[in-house]
Amino acid sequence: MTIDQAIDGAAVSPEAIQEALLGFLEGRTKSTLSPTQDLFASGLLSSMFAMELVVHLEQSYRIAIVGADLKLDNFRTVQGMTDLVLRLQGGSTAGSDV
């Protein structure tokens, strides 16, 4: 699924979100990533890029990331970001094995 499809309001599966995020991040970092890789510990994500990522997620998935949702742990891994998007869209992430 492309970001345009996500913006068009199509139902977005956890797999599609994860795939789109991996594509976005791999394109920006020029690295191959896994969904559970700690992006901060690996040095691939800076605090400045994290803020850009917040804007990207908000625009791509029509969500608002505010307050307690802005904690670092929500952006540490692609899996964490996928779970955040699903939760903010009203979906379930319990036991998510994307």
Side-chain angles (χ1 to χ4, degrees):
M1 170 173 284
T2 67
I3 294 301
D4 289 336
Q5 289 169 318
I7 291 173
D8 287 341
V12 183
S13 70
E15 295 83 5
I17 295 169
Q18 185 171 287
E19 181 181 320
L21 284 173
L22 282 169
F24 174 76
L25 289 165
E26 287 175 351
R28 295 296 306 271
T29 63
K30 308 296 186 224
S31 300
T32 301
L33 306 173
S34 76
T36 57
Q37 180 176 349
D38 188 324
L39 301 170
F40 289 98
S42 62
L44 295 172
L45 212 61
S46 66
S47 57
M48 183 62 88
F49 184 51
M51 292 311 301
E52 184 179 335
L53 189 54
V54 168
V55 172
H56 172 76
L57 291 172
E58 288 180 327
Q59 292 176 349
S60 296
Y61 298 101
R62 295 186 177 178
I63 57 176
I65 305 172
V66 297
D69 290 324
L70 285 170
K71 66 182 177 182
L72 185 67
D73 285 340
N74 285 332
F75 302 92
R76 191 170 298 282
T77 65
V78 169
Q79 181 62 56
M81 289 181 268
T82 300
D83 291 345
L84 175 66
V85 169
L86 289 171
R87 184 171 53 78
L88 293 176
Q89 287 183 332
S92 173
T93 61
S96 179
D97 282 346
V98 180

